[in-house]
Amino acid sequence: MKKLHLLFLLVLFINCSSDNLTIKKVHILSLPENMQGATSVGCDWTFFGHVDVMEDTLISNKKYISEFEKYFNNLKALDTFRYGPDVRIKCLVSYKQKDRIADTLCFGEFGGIVLNGQHMQNDSLFLEFIKKTVYPHRGNLIEKVQRYREKHGL
């Protein structure tokens, strides 16, 4: 019986002490790129009153999740900040552990990251990774503009 209790405590300790939680899926809600508003938008649900223009993307692809997790696990909290980002992209991060509450991750269109209400250091590579997902036309558009400029000597 003691061995069973020890085994249970060991399993419980290992599960609770794991810093690298495994992500199951990422649900991304986004507003159109370059959308202008009268006021800046915070990391709450109220700005998704724009349901008619909101994009909804659910990702569970293991390769994508693995890349997402690398960026996500490297986020670092800010001690001070002046103002929050003008949020355009919101990610709900769900974990394989059923007792783990989903994290809320928000991105401003041009920078700024908020994780569960805590402002994080900006990570432009993470933002670009997310933007390529929710705005798939971006890469093609940028390449087209570059080809046009080269073709016309601009």
Side-chain angles (χ1 to χ4, degrees):
M1 188 68 165
K2 279 187 174 183
K3 288 182 182 180
L4 184 60
H5 281 115
L6 286 174
L7 181 62
F8 175 77
L9 289 174
L10 180 63
V11 170
L12 183 65
F13 176 76
I14 290 171
N15 284 338
C16 291
S17 65
S18 176
D19 286 338
N20 293 329
L21 298 170
T22 305
I23 295 172
K24 180 180 181 180
K25 62 183 175 183
V26 180
H27 186 187
I28 304 173
L29 303 168
S30 60
L31 294 174
E33 192 170 24
N34 300 316
M35 180 179 170
Q36 299 296 314
T39 60
S40 65
V41 176
C43 190
D44 58 21
W45 285 104
T46 57
F47 83 92
F48 287 113
H50 303 289
V51 177
D52 53 332
V53 294
M54 182 182 74
E55 292 292 325
D56 188 349
T57 308
L58 183 62
I59 300 171
S60 57
N61 174 289
K62 288 182 183 182
K63 184 177 177 185
Y64 183 91
I65 295 294
S66 175
E67 188 73 17
F68 181 93
E69 213 165 18
K70 287 177 191 174
Y71 289 113
F72 186 78
N73 288 336
N74 286 317
L75 289 174
K76 296 187 181 9
L78 283 176
D79 294 331
T80 60
F81 63 94
R82 288 195 174 158
Y83 51 87
D86 189 8
V87 175
R88 294 293 183 258
I89 302 168
K90 183 172 186 172
C91 302
L92 302 174
V93 182
S94 299
Y95 297 96
K96 290 182 180 178
Q97 296 87 346
K98 295 186 186 327
D99 60 338
R100 172 77 175 160
I101 297 173
D103 285 320
T104 302
L105 181 65
C106 295
F107 294 89
E109 185 171 0
F110 303 109
I113 302 173
V114 177
L115 174 60
N116 297 329
Q118 170 69 48
H119 292 262
M120 309 303 281
Q121 290 179 4
N122 202 31
D123 185 340
S124 57
L125 294 176
F126 194 12
L127 176 60
E128 191 59 32
F129 174 75
I130 297 295
K131 281 185 167 184
K132 285 180 184 176
T133 304
V134 295
Y135 309 128
H137 63 279
R138 292 182 86 243
N140 295 338
L141 182 61
I142 292 169
E143 290 170 10
K144 287 178 183 177
V145 169
Q146 287 174 339
R147 282 195 301 267
Y148 178 85
R149 286 182 175 169
E150 289 171 4
K151 182 178 178 181
H152 297 285
L154 301 174

